[in-house]
Amino acid sequence: MSDLGFLFLSAVFVENMPLTLFLGLCTFLALSKRPATAVGLGVAMIGVMGITVPLNQLIYTYVLAPGAWAWADQPELDLSYLSLLAFIGVIAATVQLLEMLIDRFFPKIYAAFGVFLPLLTVQCAILAGSLFMVERRYDIGESLVYGLGSGTGFALAVILLSAIRARLAYADLPDGLRGLGITFMLAGLMSLGFSAFAQMVAL
Amino acid sequence: MAASGRIWNTLTEPLIRQNPVTLQVLGICSALAVTTSLDIALTMAVSLTVVIVLSAGFVSLIRRHIPDAIRLIVQIIIVASLVIIIDQFLQAYLFDISQRLSVFVSLITTNCLVLGRTESFARSNPPLPSMVDALGNGLGYSLILIIIGAVRELFGMGSLLGISVLPTIDEGGWYTPLSLMLLAPSAFFLLGGLVWAIRSVQSEQVEVAEFDPIDDAEERR
């Protein structure tokens, strides 16, 4: 249990998706102008990553991994080169399904999410979650914790950044730095702060 | 003449003026993650350019046959198949580099730059201009990657492409490596600075201020 707790903390702080691994930066930068949208994006990320990483773990272990077809007299069959296609398909399908379900049962939340849900299909952080899961050979429980953890890390980072940017609207910046430039600098400073967490969890 | 001029424009426009990374904010993830040294940045730049040109070509070829509702899935599958080929190729011939790139080659699939160009340009243009546009964007992306990769490797390790340029103290030289350059934050600072530099020269790229104190005083209710 404490191992899973460590994994969660390390996914949130030490391996923070946008700030230390540079994943999901496009949405991180583009949708962090207002805290309200950032919260919506963060919640969507936690949900989607919490679902897709364990789901892809199951698909990988039982269909794609080398030796997964041993029960069918195909011990040498190795479909792992197909994992990219499978993962993308699962993510796209999950996002689509989630969108339909939320639209059907929670129309208010759906209206709040707006365009973010479909956009998550092409979010590198989500795909990377699944790819790291394969690279580090997580089992199903670890995948669930890792997915939720890295989703939470992303949510935390994007909400913090949006709060700073909201304050920054009143700052008098050099022309060339306004908007994208200063956002990069801010992300750099935040990333500097997050690198202090590197020693926090010793796995 | 006019046609070739237009193609030339499509090619050169994304290099600086419409640069995908610094202006369109596309494909930033990999631009920052793989730039700790120049050889990795170069491999990534070449892989991405190949993928983007080919996928723009294919998407553009079948653009009239893709139903609108499922076009994103179709585009992603085309891109993912190309990425798998590149990934297998790198693992076969450049194993060391492919190990250091780890998941980032696979992540070209979800690189917003590739999908952004197929979605906004290749989907509505014939193959040749689409591929030229993709090449231009790929080169613009490569340019940023190479600049940042070179700066980080030079100041972080005192070398370029593994060849020692600034002799470090460990090797008996005079240069103390700036280890911050190899860490995540420096990539953000460098890219921020680069955006600042480009926008200082190309003043039309400057973003409009969200808040103007004079306007605000009049509009406050």
Side-chain angles (χ1 to χ4, degrees), chain A residues 18-44:
Chain A
L19 292 176
T20 48
L21 296 176
F22 304 114
L23 292 167
L25 280 181
C26 307
T27 29
F28 180 65
L29 296 173
L31 297 180
S32 57
K33 278 198 178 135
R34 302 261 173 282
T37 51
V39 171
L41 174 70
V43 174

Side-chain angles (χ1 to χ4, degrees), chain B:
Chain B
M1 186 58 208
S4 72
R6 206 160 47 239
I7 284 186
W8 182 244
N9 257 345
T10 347
L11 181 66
T12 52
E13 198 74 341
L15 282 183
I16 303 268
R17 279 169 45 79
Q18 289 288 326
N19 189 287
V21 180
T22 59
L23 185 67
Q24 306 173 39
V25 204
L26 294 174
I28 296 178
C29 326
S30 49
L32 294 176
V34 298
T35 46
T36 42
S37 68
L38 192 55
D39 54 346
I40 299 188
L42 269 176
T43 321
M44 187 68 188
V46 173
S47 317
L48 185 113
T49 311
V50 171
V51 169
I52 193 174
V53 170
L54 289 180
S55 55
F58 285 128
V59 168
S60 165
L61 274 179
I62 58 168
R63 67 186 187 281
R64 292 184 215 284
H65 305 286
I66 306 180
D68 222 33
I70 57 157
R71 61 164 198 280
L72 272 180
I73 309 250
V74 173
Q75 289 171 5
I76 282 205
I77 287 180
I78 292 177
V79 176
S81 318
L82 288 164
V83 170
I84 290 178
I85 298 174
I86 294 274
D87 193 25
Q88 301 278 325
F89 180 85
L90 286 180
Q91 282 184 17
Y93 294 100
L94 294 167
F95 189 71
D96 287 348
I97 288 183
S98 104
Q99 285 296 303
R100 282 161 72 197
L101 279 170
S102 122
V103 298
F104 286 99
V105 177
S106 315
L107 286 178
I108 297 180
T109 321
T110 46
N111 194 313
C112 3
L113 175 56
V114 179
L115 216 65
R117 289 332 288 177
T118 55
E119 176 72 12
S120 64
F121 199 92
R123 201 158 63 83
S124 45
N125 284 286
L128 187 64
S130 308
M131 288 172 83
V132 172
D133 169 76
L135 182 65
N137 277 283
L139 290 178
Y141 172 89
S142 310
L143 187 72
I144 301 290
L145 236 68
I146 289 168
I147 294 176
I148 295 185
V151 172
R152 285 181 79 180
E153 191 181 345
L154 184 63
F155 293 110
M157 291 185 281
S159 60
L160 275 180
L161 286 172
I163 301 159
S164 182
V165 178
L166 304 171
T168 56
I169 286 189
D170 291 344
E171 295 161 1
W174 52 272
Y175 182 69
T176 318
L178 253 167
S179 51
L180 177 69
M181 278 293 165
L182 299 179
L183 297 177
S186 74
F188 282 115
F189 294 139
L190 281 177
L191 196 52
L194 199 60
V195 169
W196 190 6
I198 290 179
R199 290 191 179 174
S200 307
V201 181
Q202 306 262 333
S203 52
E204 75 274 11
Q205 288 188 3
V206 171
E207 286 173 44
V208 187
E210 278 173 49
F211 176 81
D212 188 349
I214 300 160
D215 271 6
D216 190 71
E218 287 166 4
E219 280 172 18
R220 184 153 284 170
R221 47 190 178 261

